[in-house]
Amino acid sequence: MEHRNPFPAVDIIVEMIDRPQRPIVLIERHNLPYGWAIPGGFMDYGEPAEETARREAMEEIGLEIELIDLLQVYSDPARDQRQHTISMVYIATATGEPQAGDDAKDAKIINIWEIPKNLCFDHDRILHDYLQYRNYGIRPRL
């Protein structure tokens, strides 16, 4: 039997602290699976997760971010239909105007009450957990 490991990734919930209500940034994916997603991507070999988050934010939305907290690690084998991924999800802050880059077709600043329904992967669950934490201080359950 071939030995296989999950692929490590990061996702970043980017709060725009220079806007009222602290909206977040979502990207519209240019590649499959299509739809809206939290910025993020796969770790490079030898790269710490925190650096992956900063690199992916710059590549996908063109913003320098400040990491604030680690929301949770998401590892359900079904979270990504392409392969088994493990994502470390960070909460970060940024200022400025996001610009779509890398595999992002579009980047938008979204108020939390305007989050689209067609989110990719398990990002609806992640954003639900984030809102519970942001609004009520309730951390996601393990």
Side-chain angles (χ1 to χ4, degrees), residues 13-25 92 94 108-114 130 134:
I13 300 168
V14 180
E15 298 178 340
M16 299 303 297
I17 58 172
D18 58 346
R19 310 279 200 303
Q21 310 291 323
R22 292 175 81 121
I24 63 171
V25 178
K108 283 192 175 177
I109 297 173
I110 304 283
N111 289 307
I112 58 171
W113 59 87
E114 299 173 321
Y130 160 72
R134 175 175 159 174

Side-chain angles (χ1 to χ4, degrees), residues 67-81:
L67 296 175
I68 302 300
D69 204 351
L70 176 67
L71 178 65
Q72 182 64 283
V73 174
Y74 294 83
S75 62
D76 183 341
R79 68 175 302 274
D80 184 337
Q81 58 270 38

Side-chain angles (χ1 to χ4, degrees), residues 10-12 14 39-41 47-68 90-93:
V10 300
D11 290 300
I12 316 110
V14 180
E47 181 180 48
E50 299 81 8
E51 286 307 311
T52 303
R54 291 182 190 97
R55 175 181 53 78
E56 286 290 341
M58 184 55 70
E59 289 176 2
E60 289 195 341
I61 60 174
L63 294 176
E64 288 188 22
I65 60 170
E66 180 178 344
L67 296 175
I68 302 300
Y90 290 96
I91 299 171
T93 58

Side-chain angles (χ1 to χ4, degrees), residues 1 18 21 29 34 38 40 42 48 55 67 76 81 91 115 117-118 124 133 135 141:
M1 181 167 77
D18 58 346
Q21 310 291 323
R29 289 183 47 82
Y34 300 121
I38 303 163
F42 293 104
R55 175 181 53 78
L67 296 175
D76 183 341
Q81 58 270 38
I91 299 171
I115 294 172
K117 300 253 185 266
N118 61 331
D124 55 344
Y133 179 60
N135 294 330
R141 293 180 151 226

